[in-house]
Amino acid sequence: MLNFEFFNPTRIVFGQGTIARLDTLVASDARVLILLGGESARKNGTLAEVRAALGTREVYQFDGIEPNPSYETLMKAVSLVREKKLDFLLAVGGGSVIDGTKFVAAAIDYDGEPWDILETRGDTVTSALPFGSVLTLSATGSEMNDGSVVTRRATQAKLAFTSPHVFPRFSILDPTKTYTLPIRQIANGVVDSFTHVMEQYLTYPADGLVQDRFAEGLLQTLIEIGPKLLEKADDYELRANFMWVATLALNGLIGAGVPQDWSTHIIGHELTARYNIDHARTLAVVLPANLQVRRTAKHGKLLQYAQRVWGITQGSEDERIDAAIDRTRVFFESMGIQTRLPDYGIDASEIGILVGQLRAHGMVELGERKDVTPEVGQRILEASL
Ligand SMILES: NC(=O)c1ccc[n+]([C@@H]2O[C@H](COP(=O)([O-])OP(=O)(O)OC[C@H]3O[C@@H](n4cnc5c(N)ncnc54)[C@H](O)[C@@H]3O)[C@@H](O)[C@H]2O)c1
C-alpha cells in the first residue's frame, strides 16, 4: 500500500426531512449567500425549505450557476459577497453549484487574479469562506470532497483545483430532493460515480485490499441499482443508496493508499469545454477506449475487475479483459448513454484539435504512471471513434 494522509472534515447529514437541520448547522448570526443553479430547487420546494430553516438570518441569493459552472458567472457572485460583506455560503444544487461555491469561497480573499486558483490547481489557495451544501443531484461527490471544476468560457478551458480549504463544513443529503431529476441526470450520475471509482481502482495492483473491496462494492451496487433508478423516481431506498454510493465514490476513502488515474476525466474535460457535452457522457466515451488502449499497463487490475465485478472467469486472459471492457460499455449504453465520439457528432478531424487542447492546458503526463502523453491521448480518442 502507498503512504497516505486521509483527512475529511465534512459532516454528512443524511435522510428525509434533514434540511431543517440548517438551523443548527449555520451560525445564528451568519450573513448567508445561497447559491443556486437553474429553476429546479425553486420548483421542487427545496429552496423554500432552505429559507424556512434559515429563519431570520440575513440571507441573499445568487441564481444562475450553469452546468459546468463558468468563471465569468462565478466572479459575479464573488463581487456580491464582497459588496454585502457576507460570511457564509450555502450551495443548493448539484455538483456544478457546489463546485462553483468552492471557487467563490476560495476567490473571496484570494491575493491576485482568481483564475490563477485553477492555473495552479489550488496550490495557491490559503483560505476560503466557510460553506455548506444541500445536495439535489447524486453524481460528483463534490458534497464531501475538496475538488472543484470551473470552465472559462472565453478560452474554452475547463480546469480543476483541489484545496483542503474547500471541503464543505457540512452537506445535507435528502434523497427525496432528487425525485425531480430528469432521467438524463440520473443516468449521468450513475456513469459519473462509476467512473470516479474506476479512476481510483483500475490502475495497477498496490495491495490496497480493503480499498479494492470497497471499490468493487460500489461498482457492483451501481450495476445493481443503475437500471432500476431509471424506472421509478420516488423509490426512497433506491435513491438513498445511490446518493450514498455517489458520495463514497469520491470522498477520498477508496483512493487513500492506492494509485489513481484520472486521465479519463481530463480528456473528458476537453470534450465538454469544446462541445459542451455533459460531463458524464464524455466519461462514457473515454473510459472504455482508455481501458482498451492501456490494457497492458492495466492488465492485472483488468483481470481482477473482470472476475470480481462482472463474474467473468471463462476464456483466455485477453478474452476476459475484452469481455470486461465490453460489459462496461454495455452497462453505460443500458443507462441510455452513448459511448462513441460520432454519437455526439464528433469525427476524426477533431482529434488533432482536442490533443492540442490537452497540450495547451499542460495535460502532458497523465495517469497512474504519468505516461499518458498527448500521443496516448490521441490513441484513446481514436479508439473512441
Ligand atoms: N468536485 C468534484 O469532485 C467533481 C467530480 C466530478 C464532476 N464534477 C463537475 O460537476 C459538474 C457536474 O455536476 P452534476 O453532474 O452534479 O450536474 P449539475 O450540477 O451540472 O446539474 C445538472 C442539471 O441538473 C439540474 N438539477 C439539479 N438538481 C436537480 C433536481 N433535484 N431536480 C431537477 N433538476 C435538477 C441542474 O439545474 C442542471 O441543469 C461538472 O462541471 C463536472 O465537471 C466535479
Side-chain angles (χ1 to χ4, degrees):
M1 199 185 302
L2 308 179
N3 289 1
F4 68 90
E5 254 184 69
F6 178 69
F7 170 69
N8 194 315
T10 301
R11 178 188 299 271
I12 295 294
V13 180
F14 193 102
Q16 185 159 13
T18 45
I19 289 179
R21 287 272 286 113
L22 281 172
D23 191 29
T24 45
L25 293 166
V26 179
S28 55
D29 59 351
R31 293 169 54 77
V32 182
L33 180 67
I34 300 176
L35 296 100
L36 296 155
E39 286 295 307
S40 61
R42 200 187 311 273
K43 281 195 194 144
N44 68 15
T46 307
L47 178 61
E49 251 183 87
V50 165
R51 295 204 72 124
L54 290 173
T56 54
R57 291 171 183 81
E58 194 163 348
V59 177
Y60 293 81
Q61 209 168 295
F62 184 86
D63 295 87
I65 297 183
E66 56 280 80
N68 308 305
S70 79
Y71 165 80
E72 288 85 349
T73 299
L74 299 172
M75 285 307 291
K76 293 181 191 157
V78 171
S79 301
L80 180 64
V81 173
R82 286 181 179 151
E83 181 200 330
K84 302 288 183 194
K85 299 193 174 14
L86 306 178
D87 56 21
F88 193 83
L89 307 178
L90 183 62
V92 179
S96 293
V97 176
I98 302 174
D99 279 12
T101 300
K102 290 175 176 176
F103 175 77
V104 173
I108 296 298
D109 289 327
Y110 189 74
D111 191 14
E113 157 59 45
W115 182 249
D116 289 348
I117 295 171
L118 279 309
E119 296 278 2
T120 61
R121 300 180 195 183
D123 290 348
T124 48
V125 175
T126 54
S127 67
L129 217 56
F131 69 96
S133 88
V134 175
L135 185 66
T136 65
L137 190 165
S138 312
T140 66
S142 188
E143 64 278 8
M144 198 182 178
N145 70 34
D146 64 351
S148 162
V149 194
V150 176
T151 299
R152 193 161 190 169
R153 300 268 182 251
T155 53
Q156 289 188 329
K158 182 172 181 180
L159 299 181
F161 80 95
T162 58
S163 164
H165 299 287
V166 299
F167 277 106
R169 294 290 165 104
F170 63 80
S171 285
I172 295 183
L173 276 56
D174 177 344
T176 66
K177 299 303 160 208
T178 69
Y179 288 175
T180 52
L181 279 168
I183 290 294
R184 175 193 183 96
Q185 295 300 342
I186 294 287
N188 281 353
V190 169
V191 171
D192 194 18
S193 39
F194 192 94
T195 310
H196 290 158
V197 179
M198 292 290 273
E199 299 271 30
Q200 301 164 88
Y201 166 72
L202 211 302
T203 55
Y204 54 82
D207 288 326
L209 299 187
V210 79
Q211 293 93 323
D212 280 3
R213 295 285 187 194
F214 276 144
E216 288 153 0
L218 295 174
L219 294 172
Q220 285 179 314
T221 308
L222 287 168
I223 292 164
E224 181 181 335
I225 66 176
K228 295 181 194 160
L229 283 160
L230 301 182
E231 284 164 20
K232 199 161 177 286
D234 60 351
D235 185 320
Y236 184 83
E237 292 307 331
L238 277 180
R239 292 291 164 117
N241 277 290
F242 177 39
M243 202 166 213
W244 191 222
V245 167
T247 301
L248 290 171
L250 194 49
N251 72 348
L253 185 66
I254 64 167
V258 295
Q260 302 193 19
D261 184 340
W262 296 106
S263 61
T264 292
H265 268 71
I266 288 166
I267 298 169
H269 287 171
E270 299 301 351
L271 289 167
T272 298
R274 187 163 166 78
Y275 312 105
N276 207 22
I277 302 170
D278 291 355
H279 172 65
R281 285 160 201 258
T282 70
L283 305 177
V285 169
V286 178
L287 182 67
N290 198 345
L291 297 178
Q292 194 57 260
V293 167
R294 293 164 66 213
R295 60 188 289 150
T296 305
K298 290 179 178 290
H299 186 85
K301 273 308 200 46
L302 276 168
L303 284 174
Q304 182 177 324
Y305 170 64
Q307 184 191 336
R308 291 201 196 164
V309 176
W310 293 110
I312 299 166
T313 53
Q314 302 295 313
S316 67
E317 292 192 346
D318 270 343
E319 283 166 351
R320 279 179 268 155
I321 288 173
D322 277 336
I325 296 172
D326 198 47
R327 294 286 288 273
T328 309
R329 190 184 289 284
V330 169
F331 175 58
F332 292 166
E333 302 259 356
S334 78
M335 297 300 297
I337 296 199
Q338 292 166 306
T339 60
R340 301 269 179 193
L341 284 174
D343 297 327
Y344 300 88
I346 300 166
D347 61 27
S349 66
E350 291 286 309
I351 289 178
I353 299 165
L354 290 163
V355 174
Q357 277 184 306
L358 282 172
R359 278 205 185 86
H361 298 144
M363 304 301 171
V364 293
E365 289 181 340
L366 306 176
E368 61 272 20
R369 290 195 175 89
K370 306 276 169 245
D371 58 356
V372 182
T373 58
E375 291 71 30
V376 178
Q378 173 158 353
R379 287 183 16 231
I380 293 169
L381 287 164
E382 284 165 356
S384 315
L385 287 169

